[in-house]
């Protein structure tokens, strides 16, 4: 079992509904990274922006974005994750894609659809949470609006890392900062949030504020507002073990089961 996981966060602008331009941008940024990065985290809908024009721009699982992710995972020998607008079985999903160096793909469909932006009118709701193990770390990737719902993130499976990919706008960025830290504290796990920067076609401004917090909610990595950059942080298994053994707060958590109630 590995004791560390070197994770890279990419905070950048996203060109509206231009997958090729976006993939070229991310390729350039990935090329600048250290060769020993284990995990690369991209923003929500990183190849298109937060568009609701799914009929026109959605891809299938064998589309160019997933193929690009697989190629980069293989070339870099690391895991890459980010959400993509996917069409499957006649439905559209805001889908977190996770690609592995060996060509394996896992995915998570966004559970909490952003009704304020009518995301629920376009996308189908996810039903199951994804937790996967990579190099000894249990990782749970979630998407943007999921951050507001602590029950869905509750650490019932000894999650080591919570990851949120987002398009989180400036008017509500204080909630992003506060809730990321809260998820880390209440679940006693590393929590990482990757948000985009720039302005989209709807004139929404995205200030970034990508960050990583340790199991006590202490900031271990942050970006300047509106900064376009790629940064890395080393996550340590010993930190998780030490904090959980010392305080044992998770031993006192409530037991419950989530009753699935899909809206579409």
């Amino acid at each position: 079992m590995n004791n560390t996981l070197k994770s890279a966060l990419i905070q950048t602008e996203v060109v509206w509904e231009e997958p090729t331009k976006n993939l070229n941008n991310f390729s350039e940024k990935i090329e600048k990274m250290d060769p020993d990065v284990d995990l690369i985290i991209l923003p929500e809908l990183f190849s298109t922006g937060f568009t609701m024009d799914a009929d026109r721009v959605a891809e299938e699982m064998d589309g160019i974005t997933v193929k690009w992710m697989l190629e980069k995972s293989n070339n870099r020998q690391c895991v890459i994750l980010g959400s993509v607008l996917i069409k499957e079985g006649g439905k559209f999903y805001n889908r977190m894609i996770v690609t592995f160096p060996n060509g394996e793909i896992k995915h998570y469909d966004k559970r909490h659809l952003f009704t304020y932006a009518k995301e629920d009118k376009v996308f189908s709701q996810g039903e199951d949470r994804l937790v996967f193990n990579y190099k000894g770390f249990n990782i749970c990737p979630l998407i943007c609006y999921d951050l507001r719902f602590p029950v869905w993130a509750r650490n019932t499976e000894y999650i080591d890392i919570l990851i949120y990919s987002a398009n989180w706008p400036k008017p509500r960025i204080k909630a992003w900062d506060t809730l990321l830290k809260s998820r880390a504290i209440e679940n006693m796990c590393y929590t990482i949030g990757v948000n985009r920067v720039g302005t989209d076609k709807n004139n929404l401004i995205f200030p970034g504020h990508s960050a990583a917090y340790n199991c006590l909610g202490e900031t271990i990595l942050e970006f300047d507002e509106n900064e376009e950059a790629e940064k890395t942080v080393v996550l340590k298994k010993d930190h998780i073990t030490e904090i959980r053994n010392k305080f044992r707060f998770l031993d006192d958590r409530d037991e419950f089961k989530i009753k699935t109630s899909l809206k579409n």
Side-chain angles (χ1 to χ4, degrees):
M1 181 181 72
N2 287 41
N3 190 48
T4 62
L5 194 75
K6 191 170 187 178
S7 303
L9 292 63
I10 301 181
Q11 178 172 287
T12 186
E13 293 193 29
V14 177
V15 182
W16 189 258
E17 297 181 354
E18 292 280 1
T20 300
K21 290 183 180 179
N22 289 315
L23 297 182
N24 288 339
N25 177 41
F26 282 106
S27 291
E28 291 177 4
K29 296 184 181 305
I30 289 172
E31 288 304 312
K32 299 176 185 177
M33 292 178 182
D34 295 338
D36 58 346
V37 165
D38 300 302
L39 175 68
I40 298 174
I41 307 166
L42 311 177
E44 178 185 21
L45 297 180
F46 68 91
S47 62
T48 61
F50 194 68
T51 175
M52 298 295 107
D53 195 0
D55 280 316
R56 192 167 66 83
V57 300
E59 301 178 25
E60 297 188 356
M61 287 295 286
D62 60 354
I64 61 169
T65 301
V66 177
K67 287 181 178 178
W68 175 88
M69 294 178 72
L70 285 167
E71 178 185 350
K72 296 301 178 186
S73 286
N74 179 262
N75 291 344
R76 299 284 307 197
Q77 287 296 291
C78 70
V79 164
I80 298 179
L81 60 84
S83 93
V84 183
L85 205 168
I86 293 292
K87 181 178 181 179
E88 184 176 83
K91 296 181 178 181
F92 299 111
Y93 297 93
N94 186 341
R95 176 169 291 179
M96 180 74 81
I97 305 291
V98 185
T99 55
F100 294 79
N102 65 359
E104 183 182 4
I105 301 173
K106 295 182 183 294
H107 74 264
Y108 158 74
D109 294 327
K110 188 176 183 181
R111 166 73 174 178
H112 299 94
L113 301 176
F114 192 39
T115 55
Y116 184 77
K118 296 182 171 55
E119 187 182 15
D120 59 318
K121 305 299 182 185
V122 177
F123 294 92
S124 291
Q125 185 181 30
E127 184 172 353
D128 299 315
R129 195 170 70 167
L130 171 66
V131 179
F132 66 92
N133 189 280
Y134 185 61
K135 295 193 172 183
F137 290 77
N138 290 327
I139 302 171
C140 178
L142 299 170
I143 303 174
C144 202
Y145 192 45
D146 285 329
L147 181 60
R148 288 186 177 272
F149 301 92
V151 170
W152 191 240
R154 191 65 177 130
N155 199 347
T156 57
E157 299 172 80
Y158 289 96
I159 295 165
D160 298 313
I161 308 168
L162 279 171
I163 296 174
Y164 291 90
S165 292
N167 275 216
W168 200 286
K170 186 173 182 177
R172 297 181 294 281
I173 201 64
K174 186 174 181 180
W176 166 262
D177 297 336
T178 303
L179 295 174
L180 279 175
K181 182 177 289 190
S182 298
R183 297 296 87 82
I185 293 169
E186 69 197 10
N187 291 301
M188 301 189 76
C189 67
Y190 284 111
T191 300
I192 297 173
V194 176
N195 191 28
R196 61 162 292 181
V197 295
T199 305
D200 71 7
K201 190 177 180 181
N202 298 312
N203 293 318
L204 290 172
I205 299 171
F206 301 91
H209 286 228
S210 300
Y213 299 90
N214 69 15
C215 296
L216 294 174
E218 298 167 338
T219 305
I220 55 174
L221 180 71
E222 59 184 347
F223 288 69
D224 293 335
E225 186 157 307
N226 303 317
E227 179 182 13
E228 187 164 1
E230 53 284 335
K231 297 184 180 182
T232 59
V233 60
V234 176
L235 311 181
K236 300 177 181 179
K237 191 75 174 182
D238 286 348
H239 165 71
I240 301 169
T241 303
E242 177 185 349
I243 295 303
R244 290 180 181 173
N245 286 343
K246 181 178 181 179
F247 295 110
R248 311 200 71 84
F249 297 148
L250 292 180
D251 293 349
D252 300 324
R253 64 195 160 185
D254 298 308
E255 293 185 5
F256 59 86
K257 292 184 179 180
I258 298 174
K259 181 178 180 181
T260 301
S261 179
L262 298 181
K263 295 180 181 179
N264 49 30

